[in-house]
Amino acid sequence: YYHFPSKRDLLREFLEESHDVVLARIDRHLRELGPGAGPVARLDEIVGTLVASLVHDEFAQLAANVAWREHIRLDPAARAAVDGKRRRLLDLVADTVADGVAAGEMAAAEPREAARAIVTLATTIVEPYREMRRPMPEVIALYQRFARGIARAG
């Protein structure tokens, strides 16, 4: 209780930082792709970075279980801050899918709902990942294919 007045304050700090780390990784990887990257490449990068961030080691898997499930335990103000970060991820995927539809590279009838399905799929990877017993690059490629299927890329 020296640094945090309550467990809920500790949870808030952890959740905010966890989401910030993942969003910063995604932003960095998208910048590395370059401005000419198409929507399908951007979607692959977002999904790949998100999956890798959540399963790259045992600590990441434990943290992901908390970071993507426990935000509902926060008080309304703290939850709003975390929800804003979650919405930013959803917006990023939705904009990518909408760009893909506009470019004729994707055919999702509802880009935002396709994005919601993609984010949900990617952020719930931890438990299935343990059971899959596949190397992370193989799982990333599989989930990228799933995301492209949801977005009707192709």
Side-chain angles (χ1 to χ4, degrees), residues 63-95:
N65 275 332
V66 173
W68 295 95
R69 294 180 178 176
E70 299 299 322
H71 69 288
I72 61 171
R73 299 189 187 283
L74 298 173
D75 62 66
R79 183 173 178 180
V82 173
D83 284 345
K85 295 170 193 298
R86 295 167 68 95
R87 199 168 28 262
R88 182 168 171 259
L89 175 62
L90 178 61
D91 290 346
L92 183 60
V93 177
D95 291 347

Side-chain angles (χ1 to χ4, degrees), residues 94-122:
D95 291 347
T96 301
V97 175
D99 289 349
V101 171
E105 296 178 26
M106 298 177 191
E110 298 185 47
R112 186 153 191 91
E113 296 313 313
R116 192 179 319 278
I118 291 164
V119 169
T120 300
L121 176 72

Side-chain angles (χ1 to χ4, degrees), residues 1 5 14-15 20 22 32 40 47 65 84 97 106 119 147:
Y1 293 106
F14 174 78
L15 293 176
D20 286 342
V22 170
E32 290 169 0
V40 175
V47 170
N65 275 332
V97 175
M106 298 177 191
V119 169

Side-chain angles (χ1 to χ4, degrees), residues 2-22 59 63 66-68 70-75 77-83 85:
Y2 180 76
H3 295 286
F4 299 96
S6 70
K7 288 180 184 178
R8 190 169 282 170
D9 288 319
L10 175 62
L11 177 63
R12 177 196 45 77
E13 181 71 23
F14 174 78
L15 293 176
E16 286 187 16
E17 186 172 322
S18 297
H19 286 77
D20 286 342
V21 166
V22 170
F59 179 78
V66 173
W68 295 95
E70 299 299 322
H71 69 288
I72 61 171
R73 299 189 187 283
L74 298 173
D75 62 66
R79 183 173 178 180
V82 173
D83 284 345
K85 295 170 193 298

Side-chain angles (χ1 to χ4, degrees), residues 3 7 9 20 31 33-34 41 44 47 55 58 62-63 70 73 84 109 114 117 133 141-142 154:
H3 295 286
K7 288 180 184 178
D9 288 319
D20 286 342
R31 276 193 310 274
L33 265 182
D44 280 351
V47 170
V55 301
E58 191 173 332
L62 292 171
E70 299 299 322
R73 299 189 187 283
R133 302 196 193 301
L142 177 66

Side-chain angles (χ1 to χ4, degrees), residues 15-59:
L15 293 176
E16 286 187 16
E17 186 172 322
S18 297
H19 286 77
D20 286 342
V21 166
V22 170
L23 289 166
R25 279 187 188 136
I26 291 170
D27 289 342
R28 185 178 72 245
H29 288 192
L30 289 174
R31 276 193 310 274
E32 290 169 0
L33 265 182
V40 175
R42 292 195 323 264
L43 181 62
D44 280 351
E45 194 61 45
I46 294 166
V47 170
T49 302
L50 187 52
V51 169
S53 294
L54 303 182
V55 301
H56 70 270
D57 63 24
E58 191 173 332
F59 179 78

